[in-house]
């Protein structure tokens, strides 16, 4: 297997993976979406709410506010030693909000949530939560826990987890009819004209839509678009809670754990 990093920053990871099967790529993609844990607000105790929004809507908005995640210091509640429905400091973080509009209308942002752990805070402090009119108050206590996307989408650590086949494009080596239709139609601007010939400008941008092949008026087609067997471009976009490379590492650990569990169960059945 060969891996090449195309892009890596705080939230995005784009890699080329070669010599792997599509099934592995799909397993990783799905585990990233559904099984890598992240932190999200799961329970809200409303102390005072005189805003125009119902408690449930405020709680829903808080749940969907992405939080910084620390997988090393916190346990998944189901696996925590405390086994308490309220949780303990190892499986729960308390955030509080106590705001009031003293004059005029005021927007309350995620940055006003006060967390008991300064590491577990919203990924951005500029997410609008609610607008309060003069005299309205909102006071609440929120409990964040680790969870997974298969239970609720608020626990998905990513906004994007996707892969595509690695494109392979053959352009005519000689000057073709020079209609430029393929160059103009491509939504991803893959082609350019170089020395009066069609040339590939950005191969990796190709999403194999085949518009260029359809647009080509020659028969047989002078442009050929295919995909490379067992090569993929994977794209992860974290919601900011965890670095994208950590999310992928966790996904591989989870896949490994599932295989080990399968192996163990199989052994037990054999020995029966
Ligand atoms: Zn606990």
């Amino acid at each position: 297997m060969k891996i090449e990093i195309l892009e890596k920053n705080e939230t995005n990871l784009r890699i080329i993976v070669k010599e792997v099967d599509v099934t592995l790529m799909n397993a990783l993609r799905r585990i990233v979406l559904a099984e890598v844990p992240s932190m999200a607000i799961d329970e809200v105790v409303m102390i005072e709410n005189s805003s125009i929004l119902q408690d449930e809507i405020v709680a829903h908005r808080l749940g969907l506010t992405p939080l910084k995640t620390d997988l090393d210091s916190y346990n998944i509640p189901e696996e925590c030693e405390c086994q308490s429905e309220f949780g303990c400091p190892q499986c729960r973080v308390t955030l509080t909000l106590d705001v009031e509009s003293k004059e005029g209308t005021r927007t309350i942002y995620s940055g006003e949530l006060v967390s008991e752990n300064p590491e577990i805070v919203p990924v951005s402090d500029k997410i609008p939560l609610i607008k309060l009119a003069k005299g309205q108050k909102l006071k609440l206590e929120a409990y964040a826990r680790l969870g997974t996307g298969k239970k609720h989408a608020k626990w998905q650590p990513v906004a994007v987890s996707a892969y595509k086949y690695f494109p392979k494009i053959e352009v005519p080596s000689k000057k073709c009819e020079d209609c430029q239709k393929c160059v103009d139609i491509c939504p991803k601007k893959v082609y350019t004209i170089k020395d009066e010939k069609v040339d590939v400008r950005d191969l990796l941008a190709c999403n194999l839509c085949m518009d260029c092949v359809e647009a080509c008026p020659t028969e047989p087609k002078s442009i050929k678009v295919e995909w490379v067997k067992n090569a993929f471009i994977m794209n992860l976009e974290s919601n900011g809670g965890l670095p994208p490379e950590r999310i992928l590492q966790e996904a591989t650990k989870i896949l490994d754990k599932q295989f080990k569990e399968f192996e163990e169960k199989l052994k037990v059945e054999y020995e029966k």
Side-chain angles (χ1 to χ4, degrees):
M1 188 192 296
K2 286 186 193 124
I3 291 182
E4 191 189 317
I5 294 175
L6 292 174
E7 186 194 340
K8 182 169 116 47
N9 58 35
E10 261 176 47
T11 53
N12 279 326
L13 180 67
R14 209 158 148 246
I15 52 173
I16 299 177
V17 191
K18 284 182 175 162
E19 292 165 37
V20 301
D21 219 58
V22 65
T23 43
L24 176 74
M25 295 306 290
N26 200 38
L28 284 175
R29 180 189 71 84
R30 294 186 56 152
I31 290 174
V32 164
L33 283 173
E35 298 190 47
V36 174
S38 79
M39 202 59 117
I41 289 173
D42 187 34
E43 206 180 329
V44 176
V45 176
M46 207 59 81
I47 298 160
E48 189 176 350
N49 178 10
S50 54
S51 75
I52 57 157
L53 288 186
Q54 291 92 333
D55 295 356
E56 289 84 351
I57 295 177
V58 177
H60 183 246
R61 287 187 179 181
L62 289 167
L64 292 178
T65 305
L67 300 180
K68 292 262 179 213
T69 294
D70 180 353
L71 291 178
D72 304 312
S73 314
Y74 287 93
N75 297 328
I76 290 177
E78 293 81 35
E79 294 168 10
C80 187
E81 280 175 9
C82 71
Q83 288 298 317
S84 148
E85 74 174 290
F86 304 107
C88 68
Q90 259 81 56
C91 63
R92 184 202 63 200
V93 183
T94 308
L95 296 102
T96 50
L97 185 67
D98 184 3
V99 284
E100 182 184 356
S101 176
K102 292 214 168 91
E103 13 185 306
T105 309
R106 185 183 149 203
T107 306
I108 309 302
Y109 292 93
S110 52
E112 289 175 68
L113 280 163
V114 181
S115 173
E116 64 174 351
N117 179 349
E119 303 290 316
I120 311 293
V121 290
V123 297
S124 162
D125 49 17
K126 299 212 167 53
I127 304 169
L129 297 175
I130 192 170
K131 269 186 181 174
L132 296 181
K134 191 181 173 189
Q136 292 179 347
K137 272 188 193 173
L138 183 63
K139 190 174 178 185
L140 56 89
E141 218 171 81
Y143 305 110
R145 296 186 175 100
L146 285 177
T148 53
K150 65 181 168 187
K151 195 169 172 200
H152 194 290
K154 68 184 173 184
W155 279 303
Q156 270 181 14
V158 291
V160 175
S161 170
Y163 63 85
K164 65 177 182 184
Y165 287 92
F166 195 92
K168 186 176 159 191
I169 302 176
E170 275 175 43
V171 288
S173 53
K174 295 192 299 258
K175 193 175 166 187
C176 61
E177 281 187 13
D178 197 25
C179 63
Q180 283 199 32
K181 279 190 177 139
C182 54
V183 182
D184 298 333
I185 204 161
C186 179
K188 296 284 183 180
K189 307 263 177 289
V190 170
Y191 304 102
T192 179
I193 296 286
K194 201 170 140 193
D195 301 332
E196 297 188 338
K197 283 191 304 191
V198 177
D199 196 22
V200 178
R201 184 186 64 92
D202 187 0
L203 175 68
L204 299 183
C206 175
N207 61 359
L208 303 168
C209 70
M210 301 291 165
D211 277 0
C212 53
V213 179
E214 273 172 40
C216 183
T218 57
E219 205 60 59
K221 305 286 186 190
S222 51
I223 201 159
K224 203 171 158 194
V225 178
E226 291 173 316
W227 53 85
V228 182
K229 202 172 169 246
N230 295 344
F232 304 90
I233 301 169
M234 190 175 204
N235 192 10
L236 286 189
E237 190 185 319
S238 162
N239 65 14
L242 281 169
E245 65 271 22
R246 177 74 196 264
I247 295 172
L248 205 51
Q249 278 166 12
E250 290 298 320
T252 56
K253 272 195 233 165
I254 290 166
L255 188 62
D256 196 42
K257 205 174 132 198
Q258 289 175 350
F259 277 133
K260 290 222 169 78
E261 201 183 323
F262 183 78
E263 197 188 351
E264 290 298 317
K265 290 257 161 75
L266 201 61
K267 247 189 232 167
V268 173
E269 287 300 315
Y270 262 138
E271 283 160 11
K272 261 185 193 169

